[in-house]
Amino acid sequence: MSIDTVISLTNAPPTSSLACHERGTWSRAPQNNDASLLCRKLRGLRAMVAVLECDSVARAARMLHLSQSAVARSISDIEAELGFPLFHRSGRGLIPNAAGQRLGVRATRALAELANGYREAFAATASQADGGARAASRFAAVVAPQQLTSFIAVAELGSGPLAATRLQCSQPTIQRNLDQLEDLIGIKLFRRTPRGTRLTDEAQALLGPVKRALAELAIAEDELAPFGGRQQGTVIVAALPLSSGFLLPKAIDSLLHKSPYLTVTVVDGTYEALVRQLRQADVDMIVGALRANDVPADIRQEALFEDHLSVVARADHPCLTMGREPTLAELAQYGWVSPLPCTPARGVFERVFRAEGLALPQTQVHASSSPVVRGLLLSSDRLALLSPVQITSELRTGELAVVPVALQHARRAIGLATRRDGLLSPAAEQLLDELRALAPTVQHPN
């Protein structure tokens, strides 16, 4: 399991602190028993979506097998909690206003994710039970919020007691919620092992859609805040090594200067771990080096600029005191810090040497952490292939230097990745705009 660094940034009063902590993964799911307002009102949202789909309270009531008064009361309860109306009342019935339309989009997407999760769970099993559209819709219509939050907590923590601590409830409550969820879906979701509670394949298939459903509701609350006279918003961005040093901080600074009420959380980790979190909507986007191959079909990549890598060494490295420019063949005789396998930087590393007809240099150290690579370069005669923008301060102070050797095929694309079927929050869209605006200004130091 990778260790990811998580940093929360907000343009808050001076007394607030910068939260930086490490964990195996980052989760957008509720971290306590205080589920979001809209998550608690999941049953009412089903009634609201039905009214929007049927364009009639009466038809929605028939579809849900409820009375018209029950449907209308469910919507009124949500409005009372939010503190503003979602519909215009008229002789023609309930007409959604702007807030109602906005919430309708998110609620529809959330319920669709829950139904999709049910179908995917059944697709992962050999069971012949009903995993069709009607059963999936029924699951989305009746599953309880506490069942979903308990499921996510145990899935992430691997332990009923730890889940109970997170959600601030008793372990029997967690167990009851899980038992009810398994009874409702009709599939075994957990395996008890000596090392803790583990998800079955069916539960793994269900987890992503459930987390995406709750993310839709969390984003909806941010989108609805202005209708209640408030401004709020959250964006969670995953940073691969290159982006975290220069492009992303500038974009965040610009974003918070324009929208000081926003909160930004930055998560870093391996590409594989971050893609998993992106697909589960735990993060909104990934910023960094783009993959040329093996990009999941549900992930969209957007290039922001082209970066070129250079050979870097400590300022008094022997290769810089030869009185002439060294050749790549000569540099290959030194020890190297090579990028991690299956990364864009590693692809560039291999292409550079093969373009000169050279075998890859012997490497004892493989690293993608910029601080670690810098430390290794400063304390030895090792060389590394880095982007000069990653070491701007070291180049400026003269600690490190770019070795003057011509390289072929030393370029890679830097950009961002988002979910292809995702609908970004306004805050995430704003950060995207900042990244796009800043990308053309990126300059490599001389």
Side-chain angles (χ1 to χ4, degrees):
M1 180 177 290
S2 65
I3 299 298
D4 304 337
T5 303
V6 181
I7 303 174
S8 294
L9 295 169
T10 181
N11 202 13
T15 54
S16 66
S17 61
L18 172 68
C20 178
H21 51 101
E22 295 180 343
R23 58 178 63 197
T25 56
W26 170 259
S27 174
R28 195 178 214 141
Q31 300 300 301
N32 53 49
N33 200 35
D34 187 21
S36 69
L37 183 157
L38 293 177
C39 182
R40 298 195 306 270
K41 294 295 182 180
L42 196 53
R43 188 176 298 275
L45 290 176
R46 297 181 187 111
M48 176 185 171
V49 169
V51 170
L52 292 173
E53 289 178 352
C54 297
D55 198 27
S56 163
V57 172
R59 287 193 291 270
R62 287 195 295 271
M63 184 177 76
L64 297 174
H65 305 291
L66 296 172
S67 67
Q68 294 186 43
S69 61
V71 171
R73 186 165 57 251
S74 294
I75 294 174
S76 296
D77 287 346
I78 298 175
E79 292 176 323
E81 287 280 353
L82 290 173
F84 50 84
L86 298 170
F87 290 84
H88 299 295
R89 272 74 174 174
S90 70
R92 297 188 302 163
L94 298 181
I95 311 293
N97 58 21
Q101 292 171 359
R102 183 70 61 88
L103 177 55
V105 170
R106 292 293 179 184
T108 299
R109 290 173 60 87
L111 295 176
E113 286 287 6
L114 292 176
N116 183 53
Y118 181 91
R119 288 190 292 268
E120 290 190 10
F122 270 91
T125 182
S127 170
Q128 298 301 310
D130 182 13
R134 178 173 295 181
S137 296
R138 179 181 178 277
F139 171 76
V142 300
V143 67
Q146 62 269 24
Q147 295 167 0
L148 300 178
T149 53
S150 294
F151 169 60
I152 292 174
V154 174
E156 292 181 343
L157 300 173
S159 162
L162 291 177
T165 299
R166 173 193 282 187
L167 299 180
Q168 300 171 9
C169 62
S170 67
Q171 188 175 348
T173 298
I174 294 289
Q175 189 60 54
R176 182 174 64 253
N177 291 336
L178 297 182
D179 290 342
Q180 291 172 347
L181 181 60
E182 287 185 330
D183 289 344
L184 176 60
I185 198 170
I187 296 176
K188 195 70 176 174
L189 298 176
F190 295 97
R191 292 180 288 105
R192 275 72 181 180
T193 73
R195 300 182 61 185
T197 303
R198 297 292 180 263
L199 271 66
T200 63
D201 291 343
E202 295 84 353
Q204 289 283 5
L206 176 65
L207 181 61
V210 167
K211 295 184 83 170
R212 291 194 295 270
L214 298 193
E216 293 288 348
L217 299 182
I219 293 172
E221 292 201 19
D222 288 345
E223 292 179 333
L224 291 175
F227 295 99
R230 305 181 309 279
Q231 287 185 309
Q232 67 184 56
T234 300
V235 56
I236 306 173
V237 56
L240 291 168
L242 177 66
S243 66
S244 59
F246 66 101
L247 179 63
L248 188 56
K250 291 182 179 179
I252 292 172
D253 280 341
S254 181
L255 172 69
L256 294 181
H257 178 74
K258 296 174 182 177
S259 302
Y261 55 87
L262 294 179
T263 298
V264 180
T265 297
V266 182
V267 186
D268 70 10
T270 65
Y271 177 76
E272 292 74 18
L274 296 182
V275 165
R276 182 172 62 252
Q277 293 174 70
L278 176 63
R279 298 176 83 175
Q280 294 182 347
D282 285 322
V283 301
D284 295 306
M285 68 187 78
I286 302 173
V287 182
L290 301 183
R291 265 49 185 177
N293 303 302
D294 301 323
V295 180
D298 57 342
I299 301 299
R300 178 193 293 113
Q301 294 192 141
E302 176 185 339
L304 294 175
F305 67 94
E306 192 175 61
D307 180 46
H308 63 80
L309 304 186
S310 301
V311 178
V312 176
R314 60 184 173 87
D316 56 350
H317 193 283
C319 74
L320 296 170
T321 60
M322 299 173 60
R324 60 176 175 82
E325 294 186 2
T327 65
L328 189 60
E330 291 172 327
L331 297 178
Q333 305 308 308
Y334 290 96
W336 284 71
V337 182
S338 74
L340 293 180
C342 303
T343 62
R346 177 70 185 195
V348 173
F349 182 77
E350 295 176 358
R351 291 196 302 270
V352 163
F353 283 94
R354 288 171 181 164
E356 296 290 335
L358 300 172
L360 295 179
Q362 294 296 319
T363 55
Q364 294 178 294
V365 182
H366 308 272
S368 63
S369 167
S370 294
V372 171
V373 174
R374 287 195 295 266
L376 289 168
L377 295 181
L378 290 169
S379 63
S380 70
D381 284 344
R382 293 184 181 92
L383 302 173
L385 200 61
L386 298 174
S387 169
V389 296
Q390 290 178 272
I391 54 170
T392 302
S393 60
E394 288 82 358
L395 292 176
R396 187 181 301 115
T397 60
E399 296 174 279
L400 296 177
V402 172
V403 179
V405 58
L407 301 178
Q408 300 182 58
H409 310 300
R411 296 181 177 275
R412 61 177 177 174
I414 304 300
L416 53 91
T418 55
R419 287 191 296 122
R420 193 172 293 278
D421 61 350
L423 180 61
L424 291 175
S425 68
E429 287 284 5
Q430 286 179 260
L431 180 58
L432 227 60
D433 291 341
E434 296 297 336
L435 289 166
R436 289 166 178 155
L438 284 169
T441 70
V442 174
Q443 295 182 350
H444 283 71
N446 296 324

